[in-house]
Coordinates of all heavy atoms in Angstrom, one line a residue:
M296 N 145.6 -37.8 116.4 CA 144.2 -37.2 116.6 C 144.2 -35.9 117.4 O 145.1 -35.7 118.3 CB 143.4 -38.3 117.3 CG 141.9 -38.2 116.9 SD 140.9 -39.4 117.8 CE 140.5 -38.4 119.3
E297 N 143.3 -35.1 117.0 CA 143.2 -33.8 117.7 C 142.6 -33.9 119.1 O 141.6 -34.6 119.3 CB 142.3 -32.9 116.9 CG 142.9 -31.6 116.3 CD 141.9 -30.7 115.6 OE1 140.7 -31.2 115.4 OE2 142.3 -29.6 115.4
T298 N 143.2 -33.3 120.1 CA 142.7 -33.3 121.4 C 141.6 -32.3 121.5 O 141.6 -31.4 120.7 CB 143.8 -33.0 122.4 OG1 144.2 -31.7 122.3 CG2 145.0 -34.0 122.3
P299 N 140.8 -32.3 122.6 CA 139.8 -31.3 122.7 C 140.4 -29.9 122.8 O 139.8 -28.9 122.2 CB 139.1 -31.7 124.1 CG 139.3 -33.1 124.2 CD 140.6 -33.4 123.6
L300 N 141.5 -29.7 123.5 CA 142.1 -28.4 123.5 C 142.6 -27.9 122.2 O 142.4 -26.7 121.8 CB 143.3 -28.4 124.5 CG 144.0 -27.1 124.7 CD1 143.1 -26.0 125.2 CD2 145.2 -27.3 125.7
E301 N 143.2 -28.8 121.4 CA 143.6 -28.4 120.0 C 142.4 -28.1 119.2 O 142.5 -27.1 118.4 CB 144.4 -29.6 119.4 CG 145.8 -29.8 120.0 CD 146.4 -31.1 119.7 OE1 145.7 -32.0 119.2 OE2 147.6 -31.2 119.9
K302 N 141.3 -28.8 119.4 CA 140.1 -28.5 118.6 C 139.6 -27.1 119.0 O 139.2 -26.3 118.1 CB 139.0 -29.6 118.9 CG 138.3 -30.1 117.7 CD 137.4 -31.1 118.1 CE 137.9 -32.5 117.8 NZ 137.0 -33.6 118.1
A303 N 139.6 -26.8 120.3 CA 139.2 -25.5 120.8 C 140.0 -24.4 120.3 O 139.5 -23.4 119.8 CB 139.2 -25.5 122.3
L304 N 141.3 -24.6 120.2 CA 142.2 -23.6 119.7 C 142.0 -23.3 118.2 O 141.9 -22.2 117.8 CB 143.7 -24.0 119.9 CG 144.2 -24.0 121.3 CD1 145.6 -24.7 121.4 CD2 144.3 -22.6 121.8
A305 N 141.8 -24.4 117.4 CA 141.4 -24.2 116.0 C 140.2 -23.4 115.9 O 140.1 -22.6 115.0 CB 141.3 -25.6 115.4
T306 N 139.2 -23.7 116.7 CA 137.9 -23.0 116.6 C 138.1 -21.5 116.9 O 137.5 -20.7 116.2 CB 136.9 -23.6 117.6 OG1 136.7 -25.0 117.3 CG2 135.5 -22.9 117.6
L307 N 138.9 -21.2 117.9 CA 139.2 -19.8 118.2 C 139.8 -19.1 117.1 O 139.4 -17.9 116.8 CB 140.1 -19.7 119.5 CG 139.6 -20.3 120.8 CD1 140.6 -20.2 121.9 CD2 138.3 -19.5 121.2
V308 N 140.8 -19.7 116.4 CA 141.5 -19.1 115.3 C 140.5 -19.0 114.1 O 140.4 -17.9 113.4 CB 142.7 -19.9 114.9 CG1 143.4 -19.3 113.6 CG2 143.7 -19.8 116.1
L309 N 139.8 -20.1 113.8 CA 139.0 -20.1 112.6 C 137.8 -19.1 112.7 O 137.4 -18.5 111.7 CB 138.4 -21.5 112.3 CG 139.5 -22.5 111.8 CD1 138.9 -23.9 111.7 CD2 140.1 -22.1 110.5
T310 N 137.3 -19.0 113.9 CA 136.2 -18.1 114.1 C 136.6 -16.6 113.8 O 135.9 -15.9 113.2 CB 135.7 -18.2 115.6 OG1 135.2 -19.5 115.8 CG2 134.5 -17.2 115.8
F311 N 137.8 -16.3 114.2 CA 138.3 -14.9 113.9 C 138.4 -14.8 112.4 O 137.9 -13.7 111.9 CB 139.8 -14.8 114.5 CG 140.4 -13.4 114.2 CD1 140.1 -12.3 115.0 CD2 141.2 -13.3 113.1 CE1 140.7 -11.1 114.7 CE2 141.8 -12.0 112.8 CZ 141.5 -10.9 113.6
H312 N 138.9 -15.7 111.7 CA 139.1 -15.6 110.2 C 137.8 -15.7 109.5 O 137.6 -15.1 108.4 CB 140.1 -16.6 109.7 CG 141.5 -16.2 110.2 ND1 142.2 -15.2 109.7 CD2 142.3 -16.8 111.2 CE1 143.4 -15.1 110.3 NE2 143.5 -16.0 111.2
K313 N 136.8 -16.4 110.0 CA 135.5 -16.5 109.4 C 134.9 -15.1 109.3 O 134.2 -14.8 108.3 CB 134.6 -17.3 110.4 CG 133.2 -17.6 109.9 CD 132.5 -18.6 110.8 CE 131.0 -18.5 110.7 NZ 130.3 -19.3 111.7
Y314 N 135.2 -14.2 110.3 CA 134.6 -12.8 110.2 C 135.5 -11.8 109.7 O 135.1 -10.8 109.0 CB 134.1 -12.4 111.6 CG 132.9 -13.3 112.0 CD1 133.0 -14.5 112.7 CD2 131.6 -12.9 111.6 CE1 132.0 -15.3 113.0 CE2 130.5 -13.7 112.0 CZ 130.7 -14.9 112.6 OH 129.6 -15.7 112.9
S315 N 136.9 -11.9 109.9 CA 137.8 -10.9 109.5 C 137.9 -10.8 108.0 O 138.3 -9.8 107.5 CB 139.2 -11.2 110.1 OG 139.8 -12.3 109.5
G316 N 137.6 -11.9 107.3 CA 137.7 -11.9 105.9 C 136.5 -11.3 105.1 O 136.5 -11.2 103.9
R317 N 135.6 -10.8 105.8 CA 134.3 -10.3 105.2 C 134.5 -9.0 104.5 O 133.9 -8.8 103.4 CB 133.2 -10.3 106.2 CG 132.8 -11.7 106.6 CD 131.5 -11.7 107.4 NE 131.1 -13.0 107.7 CZ 130.0 -13.3 108.3 NH1 129.2 -12.4 108.8 NH2 129.7 -14.6 108.5
E318 N 135.2 -8.0 105.1 CA 135.3 -6.7 104.4 C 136.7 -6.1 104.8 O 137.2 -6.5 105.9 CB 134.2 -5.8 104.8 CG 134.1 -5.4 106.2 CD 133.1 -4.3 106.6 OE1 132.2 -4.1 105.8 OE2 133.2 -3.8 107.7
G319 N 137.2 -5.2 104.0 CA 138.4 -4.4 104.4 C 139.6 -5.4 104.6 O 139.7 -6.4 103.8
N320 N 140.4 -5.1 105.5 CA 141.6 -5.9 105.8 C 141.2 -7.3 106.2 O 140.3 -7.5 107.1 CB 142.4 -5.2 107.0 CG 143.7 -5.9 107.2 OD1 143.9 -7.1 107.1 ND2 144.7 -5.1 107.6
K321 N 141.7 -8.3 105.5 CA 141.4 -9.7 105.7 C 141.8 -10.2 107.1 O 141.3 -11.3 107.5 CB 142.0 -10.6 104.7 CG 141.3 -10.7 103.4 CD 141.9 -11.8 102.5 CE 141.1 -12.2 101.4 NZ 141.6 -11.9 100.1
F322 N 142.8 -9.6 107.7 CA 143.4 -10.1 108.9 C 143.0 -9.3 110.2 O 143.6 -9.5 111.2 CB 144.9 -10.2 108.8 CG 145.2 -11.1 107.6 CD1 145.8 -10.6 106.5 CD2 145.0 -12.5 107.7 CE1 146.1 -11.4 105.4 CE2 145.3 -13.3 106.6 CZ 145.9 -12.7 105.4
T323 N 142.0 -8.4 110.1 CA 141.5 -7.7 111.2 C 140.0 -7.6 111.2 O 139.4 -7.8 110.1 CB 142.0 -6.2 111.2 OG1 141.6 -5.5 110.1 CG2 143.5 -6.1 111.3
L324 N 139.4 -7.4 112.3 CA 137.9 -7.3 112.4 C 137.6 -5.8 112.5 O 138.1 -5.0 113.3 CB 137.4 -7.9 113.7 CG 137.6 -9.4 113.9 CD1 137.2 -9.8 115.4 CD2 136.7 -10.2 113.0
S325 N 136.7 -5.4 111.5 CA 136.1 -4.0 111.6 C 135.0 -4.1 112.7 O 134.7 -5.2 113.2 CB 135.4 -3.6 110.3 OG 134.4 -4.5 110.0
K326 N 134.5 -2.9 113.0 CA 133.4 -2.9 114.1 C 132.2 -3.8 113.6 O 131.7 -4.5 114.4 CB 133.0 -1.5 114.4 CG 132.1 -1.4 115.6 CD 131.4 -0.1 115.7 CE 132.3 1.0 116.2 NZ 131.6 2.3 116.4
R327 N 131.9 -3.7 112.3 CA 130.8 -4.5 111.8 C 131.1 -6.0 111.9 O 130.2 -6.8 112.3 CB 130.5 -4.1 110.4 CG 129.1 -4.6 109.9 CD 128.9 -4.4 108.4 NE 129.1 -3.0 108.0 CZ 129.1 -2.6 106.8 NH1 128.8 -3.5 105.8 NH2 129.3 -1.3 106.5
E328 N 132.3 -6.4 111.6 CA 132.7 -7.8 111.7 C 132.7 -8.3 113.1 O 132.2 -9.4 113.4 CB 134.0 -8.0 111.0 CG 134.0 -7.9 109.5 CD 135.4 -7.8 108.9 OE1 136.4 -7.4 109.6 OE2 135.5 -8.0 107.7
L329 N 133.2 -7.4 114.0 CA 133.1 -7.8 115.5 C 131.7 -8.0 115.9 O 131.4 -8.9 116.6 CB 133.8 -6.7 116.3 CG 133.8 -6.8 117.8 CD1 134.6 -8.0 118.2 CD2 134.2 -5.6 118.5
K330 N 130.8 -7.1 115.5 CA 129.4 -7.1 115.9 C 128.8 -8.4 115.4 O 128.1 -9.1 116.2 CB 128.7 -5.9 115.3 CG 127.3 -5.8 115.7 CD 126.6 -4.6 115.1 CE 125.1 -4.6 115.2 NZ 124.5 -3.5 114.4
E331 N 129.1 -8.8 114.2 CA 128.5 -10.1 113.6 C 129.0 -11.3 114.4 O 128.3 -12.2 114.7 CB 128.9 -10.2 112.2 CG 128.2 -9.2 111.2 CD 126.7 -9.5 111.1 OE1 126.4 -10.6 110.8 OE2 125.9 -8.6 111.5
L332 N 130.4 -11.2 114.7 CA 131.0 -12.4 115.5 C 130.3 -12.5 116.8 O 129.9 -13.6 117.2 CB 132.5 -12.1 115.6 CG 133.3 -13.2 116.3 CD1 134.8 -13.1 115.8 CD2 133.3 -13.2 117.8
V333 N 130.2 -11.4 117.5 CA 129.6 -11.4 118.9 C 128.1 -11.9 118.8 O 127.7 -12.7 119.6 CB 129.7 -10.0 119.6 CG1 128.9 -10.0 120.8 CG2 131.1 -9.7 119.9
K334 N 127.4 -11.4 117.8 CA 126.0 -11.7 117.7 C 125.7 -13.1 117.3 O 124.9 -13.8 117.9 CB 125.4 -10.8 116.6 CG 123.9 -10.6 116.7 CD 123.3 -9.7 115.6 CE 123.2 -10.4 114.3 NZ 122.7 -9.6 113.2
N335 N 126.6 -13.7 116.4 CA 126.3 -15.0 116.0 C 127.0 -16.1 116.8 O 126.6 -17.3 116.8 CB 126.8 -15.2 114.5 CG 126.1 -14.3 113.6 OD1 124.9 -14.0 113.8 ND2 126.7 -14.0 112.5
E336 N 128.1 -15.8 117.5 CA 128.9 -16.8 118.1 C 128.8 -16.9 119.6 O 129.3 -17.8 120.3 CB 130.4 -16.7 117.7 CG 130.7 -16.6 116.2 CD 130.3 -17.9 115.4 OE1 130.2 -18.9 116.1 OE2 130.2 -17.8 114.2
L337 N 128.2 -15.8 120.2 CA 128.1 -15.8 121.7 C 126.7 -15.5 122.1 O 126.0 -14.7 121.6 CB 129.0 -14.6 122.2 CG 130.5 -14.8 122.0 CD1 131.2 -13.5 122.3 CD2 131.0 -15.9 123.0
A338 N 126.2 -16.3 123.2 CA 124.9 -16.1 123.6 C 124.6 -14.7 124.1 O 123.5 -14.2 123.9 CB 124.6 -17.1 124.8
L339 N 125.6 -14.1 124.7 CA 125.4 -12.7 125.2 C 125.2 -11.7 124.1 O 124.6 -10.6 124.3 CB 126.6 -12.3 126.1 CG 128.0 -12.1 125.4 CD1 128.2 -10.6 124.9 CD2 129.1 -12.5 126.3
G340 N 125.6 -12.0 122.9 CA 125.5 -11.1 121.7 C 124.1 -10.8 121.4 O 123.8 -9.6 120.9
E341 N 123.2 -11.7 121.6 CA 121.8 -11.4 121.3 C 121.3 -10.2 122.1 O 120.5 -9.5 121.6 CB 121.0 -12.7 121.7 CG 121.1 -13.8 120.7 CD 120.1 -13.6 119.5 OE1 118.9 -13.5 119.7 OE2 120.7 -13.4 118.4
K342 N 121.8 -10.1 123.3 CA 121.2 -9.1 124.2 C 122.0 -7.8 124.1 O 121.6 -6.7 124.6 CB 121.3 -9.5 125.7 CG 120.4 -10.7 126.0 CD 120.7 -11.2 127.4 CE 121.0 -12.7 127.4 NZ 121.8 -13.1 128.6
M343 N 123.1 -7.8 123.4 CA 124.0 -6.7 123.3 C 123.4 -5.6 122.4 O 123.1 -5.8 121.2 CB 125.4 -7.1 122.8 CG 126.5 -6.3 123.3 SD 128.0 -7.1 123.1 CE 129.0 -6.2 124.2
K344 N 123.4 -4.4 122.9 CA 122.9 -3.2 122.1 C 124.1 -2.6 121.4 O 125.2 -2.9 121.7 CB 122.2 -2.2 123.1 CG 121.0 -2.8 123.8 CD 120.1 -1.8 124.3 CE 118.8 -2.4 124.9 NZ 119.0 -2.7 126.3
A345 N 123.7 -1.6 120.5 CA 124.7 -0.9 119.7 C 125.8 -0.3 120.6 O 127.0 -0.3 120.3 CB 124.1 0.1 118.8
G346 N 125.3 0.3 121.7 CA 126.2 1.0 122.7 C 127.2 0.0 123.3 O 128.4 0.3 123.5
G347 N 126.8 -1.2 123.5 CA 127.6 -2.3 124.0 C 128.8 -2.6 123.1 O 129.9 -2.9 123.5
I348 N 128.4 -2.7 121.8 CA 129.4 -3.0 120.8 C 130.4 -1.9 120.7 O 131.6 -2.1 120.6 CB 128.7 -3.3 119.4 CG1 127.9 -4.5 119.4 CG2 129.8 -3.3 118.3 CD1 128.7 -5.8 119.4
N349 N 130.0 -0.7 120.7 CA 130.9 0.5 120.6 C 131.9 0.4 121.8 O 133.1 0.7 121.6 CB 130.1 1.8 120.7 CG 129.4 2.1 119.4 OD1 129.8 1.5 118.3 ND2 128.4 2.9 119.4
Q350 N 131.3 0.1 123.0 CA 132.2 0.1 124.2 C 133.2 -1.1 124.1 O 134.3 -0.9 124.4 CB 131.3 -0.1 125.4 CG 131.9 0.5 126.6 CD 131.0 0.4 127.8 OE1 129.8 0.0 127.7 NE2 131.5 0.7 129.0
L351 N 132.7 -2.2 123.6 CA 133.6 -3.4 123.5 C 134.7 -3.1 122.5 O 135.9 -3.4 122.7 CB 132.7 -4.6 123.0 CG 133.5 -5.9 122.7 CD1 134.1 -6.4 124.0 CD2 132.6 -6.9 122.1
M352 N 134.3 -2.5 121.4 CA 135.3 -2.1 120.3 C 136.4 -1.2 120.9 O 137.6 -1.4 120.7 CB 134.6 -1.3 119.2 CG 135.4 -1.0 118.0 SD 135.6 -2.4 116.9 CE 136.9 -1.7 115.9
E353 N 135.9 -0.2 121.7 CA 136.9 0.7 122.3 C 137.8 0.1 123.3 O 139.0 0.4 123.3 CB 136.1 1.8 123.1 CG 136.8 3.2 123.1 CD 135.8 4.3 123.5 OE1 134.9 4.6 122.6 OE2 135.9 4.8 124.6
T354 N 137.3 -0.9 124.1 CA 138.1 -1.6 125.0 C 139.1 -2.5 124.4 O 140.3 -2.6 124.8 CB 137.2 -2.5 125.9 OG1 136.1 -1.7 126.5 CG2 138.0 -3.2 127.0
L355 N 138.7 -3.2 123.3 CA 139.6 -4.2 122.6 C 140.6 -3.5 121.7 O 141.7 -4.0 121.6 CB 138.8 -5.2 121.8 CG 137.7 -6.0 122.6 CD1 137.0 -6.9 121.6 CD2 138.4 -6.8 123.7
D356 N 140.3 -2.4 121.1 CA 141.1 -1.7 120.1 C 142.2 -1.0 120.8 O 142.2 0.3 120.9 CB 140.3 -0.8 119.3 CG 141.1 -0.2 118.1 OD1 142.2 -0.7 117.8 OD2 140.6 0.8 117.5
K357 N 143.3 -1.7 121.3 CA 144.3 -1.1 122.1 C 145.1 0.0 121.3 O 145.5 0.9 121.9 CB 145.3 -2.2 122.6 CG 144.6 -3.2 123.5 CD 144.2 -2.7 124.8 CE 143.6 -3.8 125.7 NZ 142.7 -3.2 126.7
N358 N 145.4 -0.3 120.0 CA 146.2 0.7 119.3 C 145.3 1.7 118.5 O 145.8 2.6 117.7 CB 147.1 0.0 118.3 CG 146.4 -0.8 117.2 OD1 145.2 -0.8 117.2 ND2 147.1 -1.3 116.3
K359 N 144.0 1.7 118.8 CA 143.1 2.8 118.3 C 143.1 3.0 116.8 O 143.1 4.1 116.3 CB 143.4 4.1 119.0 CG 143.3 4.1 120.5 CD 141.9 3.9 121.0 CE 141.9 3.6 122.5 NZ 140.7 2.7 122.9
D360 N 143.2 1.8 116.1 CA 143.1 2.0 114.6 C 141.8 1.6 114.0 O 141.6 1.4 112.8 CB 144.3 1.2 113.9 CG 144.1 -0.3 114.1 OD1 143.3 -0.7 114.9 OD2 144.9 -1.1 113.5
E361 N 140.8 1.5 114.9 CA 139.4 1.2 114.5 C 139.3 -0.3 113.9 O 138.3 -0.6 113.2 CB 138.9 2.2 113.5 CG 139.0 3.6 113.9 CD 137.9 4.1 114.8 OE1 136.7 3.7 114.6 OE2 138.2 4.8 115.8
E362 N 140.3 -1.1 114.2 CA 140.2 -2.5 113.7 C 140.7 -3.4 114.9 O 141.5 -3.0 115.7 CB 141.2 -2.7 112.5 CG 140.8 -1.9 111.3 CD 139.8 -2.6 110.4 OE1 139.5 -3.8 110.5 OE2 139.1 -1.9 109.7
I363 N 140.1 -4.6 115.0 CA 140.6 -5.5 116.0 C 141.5 -6.5 115.3 O 141.0 -7.4 114.5 CB 139.4 -6.3 116.6 CG1 138.4 -5.3 117.2 CG2 139.9 -7.3 117.7 CD1 139.0 -4.3 118.3
D364 N 142.8 -6.5 115.6 CA 143.7 -7.4 115.0 C 143.7 -8.7 115.9 O 143.1 -8.8 116.9 CB 145.2 -6.9 114.8 CG 145.8 -6.4 116.1 OD1 145.4 -7.0 117.2 OD2 146.6 -5.5 116.1
F365 N 144.5 -9.7 115.4 CA 144.4 -11.0 116.1 C 144.9 -10.9 117.6 O 144.3 -11.5 118.5 CB 145.2 -12.1 115.4 CG 144.9 -13.5 115.9 CD1 143.7 -14.1 115.4 CD2 145.6 -14.1 116.9 CE1 143.4 -15.4 115.9 CE2 145.3 -15.3 117.4 CZ 144.2 -16.0 116.9
K366 N 145.9 -10.1 117.8 CA 146.4 -9.9 119.2 C 145.3 -9.3 120.1 O 145.2 -9.7 121.2 CB 147.7 -9.0 119.1 CG 148.4 -9.1 120.4 CD 149.7 -8.2 120.4 CE 150.3 -8.1 121.8 NZ 151.2 -7.0 121.8
E367 N 144.6 -8.3 119.6 CA 143.6 -7.7 120.3 C 142.4 -8.6 120.6 O 141.8 -8.6 121.6 CB 143.1 -6.4 119.6 CG 144.1 -5.3 119.6 CD 143.9 -4.2 118.6 OE1 143.2 -4.4 117.6 OE2 144.5 -3.1 118.8
Y368 N 142.2 -9.5 119.6 CA 141.2 -10.5 119.7 C 141.5 -11.5 120.9 O 140.6 -11.9 121.6 CB 141.0 -11.3 118.4 CG 140.2 -12.5 118.4 CD1 138.8 -12.5 118.4 CD2 140.8 -13.8 118.2 CE1 138.1 -13.6 118.3 CE2 140.1 -14.9 118.1 CZ 138.7 -14.9 118.2 OH 137.9 -16.0 118.0
T369 N 142.8 -11.8 121.0 CA 143.2 -12.7 122.1 C 142.9 -12.1 123.5 O 142.6 -12.8 124.4 CB 144.7 -13.1 122.0 OG1 145.5 -12.0 122.2 CG2 145.0 -13.9 120.7
G370 N 143.0 -10.8 123.6 CA 142.6 -10.1 124.8 C 141.1 -10.3 125.1 O 140.7 -10.5 126.3
F371 N 140.3 -10.3 124.1 CA 138.9 -10.6 124.2 C 138.6 -12.0 124.7 O 137.9 -12.3 125.6 CB 138.2 -10.3 122.9 CG 136.7 -10.5 122.8 CD1 135.9 -10.1 123.9 CD2 136.1 -11.1 121.7 CE1 134.5 -10.2 123.8 CE2 134.7 -11.3 121.7 CZ 133.9 -10.8 122.7
L372 N 139.4 -13.0 124.1 CA 139.2 -14.4 124.4 C 139.7 -14.6 125.9 O 139.0 -15.4 126.6 CB 140.1 -15.3 123.5 CG 139.7 -15.3 122.0 CD1 140.7 -16.2 121.3 CD2 138.3 -15.8 121.9
S373 N 140.7 -13.9 126.3 CA 141.2 -14.1 127.6 C 140.2 -13.6 128.6 O 139.9 -14.3 129.6 CB 142.5 -13.3 127.7 OG 142.9 -13.1 129.0
A374 N 139.5 -12.5 128.3 CA 138.5 -12.0 129.2 C 137.3 -13.0 129.3 O 136.8 -13.2 130.4 CB 138.0 -10.6 128.7
L375 N 137.0 -13.5 128.1 CA 135.9 -14.5 128.1 C 136.2 -15.8 128.9 O 135.4 -16.3 129.6 CB 135.5 -14.9 126.7 CG 134.8 -13.9 125.8 CD1 134.8 -14.3 124.4 CD2 133.4 -13.6 126.3
C376 N 137.5 -16.2 128.8 CA 138.0 -17.4 129.5 C 137.9 -17.1 131.0 O 137.4 -18.0 131.8 CB 139.4 -17.7 129.2 SG 139.6 -18.6 127.7
M377 N 138.3 -16.0 131.5 CA 138.2 -15.6 132.9 C 136.7 -15.7 133.4 O 136.5 -16.2 134.4 CB 138.7 -14.2 133.1 CG 140.2 -14.0 132.7 SD 141.3 -14.8 133.8 CE 141.4 -13.6 135.1
T378 N 135.8 -15.2 132.6 CA 134.4 -15.2 132.9 C 133.9 -16.6 133.1 O 133.2 -16.9 134.0 CB 133.6 -14.4 131.9 OG1 134.2 -13.1 131.7 CG2 132.2 -14.2 132.3
Y379 N 134.3 -17.4 132.1 CA 133.8 -18.8 132.1 C 134.4 -19.5 133.4 O 133.7 -20.3 134.1 CB 134.3 -19.6 130.9 CG 133.2 -19.5 129.8 CD1 133.0 -18.3 129.1 CD2 132.5 -20.7 129.4 CE1 132.0 -18.3 128.1 CE2 131.6 -20.6 128.4 CZ 131.3 -19.4 127.8 OH 130.4 -19.4 126.8
N380 N 135.7 -19.2 133.7 CA 136.3 -19.9 134.9 C 135.6 -19.4 136.2 O 135.3 -20.2 137.0 CB 137.8 -19.5 134.9 CG 138.5 -20.3 136.0 OD1 138.3 -21.5 136.1 ND2 139.4 -19.6 136.7
D381 N 135.3 -18.1 136.2 CA 134.6 -17.6 137.4 C 133.2 -18.4 137.6 O 132.8 -18.7 138.7 CB 134.3 -16.1 137.3 CG 135.6 -15.3 137.4 OD1 136.6 -15.9 137.9 OD2 135.5 -14.1 137.1
F382 N 132.6 -18.6 136.4 CA 131.3 -19.2 136.4 C 131.4 -20.7 136.9 O 130.6 -21.1 137.7 CB 130.8 -19.2 134.9 CG 129.4 -19.7 134.8 CD1 128.3 -18.8 135.2 CD2 129.1 -20.9 134.2 CE1 127.0 -19.3 135.1 CE2 127.7 -21.3 134.1 CZ 126.7 -20.5 134.5
F383 N 132.5 -21.4 136.5 CA 132.7 -22.8 136.9 C 133.0 -22.8 138.4 O 132.5 -23.7 139.1 CB 133.9 -23.4 136.1 CG 133.4 -24.0 134.9 CD1 133.8 -23.5 133.6 CD2 132.6 -25.2 134.9 CE1 133.4 -24.1 132.5 CE2 132.2 -25.8 133.7 CZ 132.6 -25.3 132.5
Q384 N 133.8 -21.8 138.9 CA 134.1 -21.8 140.3 C 132.9 -21.6 141.2 O 132.8 -22.2 142.2 CB 135.2 -20.8 140.5 CG 136.6 -21.3 140.1 CD 137.7 -20.3 140.3 OE1 137.5 -19.2 140.5 NE2 138.9 -20.8 140.4
Q385 N 132.1 -20.7 140.7 CA 130.9 -20.4 141.5 C 130.0 -21.6 141.5 O 129.3 -21.9 142.5 CB 130.1 -19.2 140.8 CG 130.7 -17.9 141.4 CD 130.1 -16.7 140.6 OE1 129.2 -16.8 139.8 NE2 130.6 -15.5 140.9
D386 N 129.9 -22.3 140.3 CA 129.0 -23.4 140.2 C 129.5 -24.6 141.1 O 128.7 -25.3 141.6 CB 129.1 -23.9 138.7 CG 127.7 -24.3 138.2 OD1 126.8 -23.6 138.6 OD2 127.7 -25.2 137.4
A387 N 130.8 -24.7 141.3 CA 131.4 -25.7 142.1 C 131.1 -25.6 143.6 O 131.3 -26.5 144.4 CB 132.9 -25.8 141.8
K388 N 130.8 -24.3 144.0 CA 130.6 -24.0 145.4 C 129.3 -24.6 145.9 O 128.3 -24.7 145.2 CB 130.7 -22.5 145.6 CG 132.1 -22.0 145.8 CD 132.1 -20.5 146.1 CE 133.5 -19.9 145.9 NZ 133.5 -18.5 145.7
Ligands
CA55 CA1 143.4 -2.3 116.6

């Protein structure tokens, strides 16, 4: 049986592919695909303006090819995990 962590990992991977396959390269996120992912899958996405997406894209796109590959996406997940952890630690105080 799948453990909660395994389930979470599958969700992280499947969410990437759910959006990366929409246009252009099937294995990378274009800016539009990244925007859709953030908007639909994260509560903060609702509040994010166009400038925020541009900035996020610039931060994540380490090799500057205007696409977010899976490795670059893991950088995003890592930053999100850190934020969640900070949130839990603050909540525990
Ligand atoms: Ca890239």
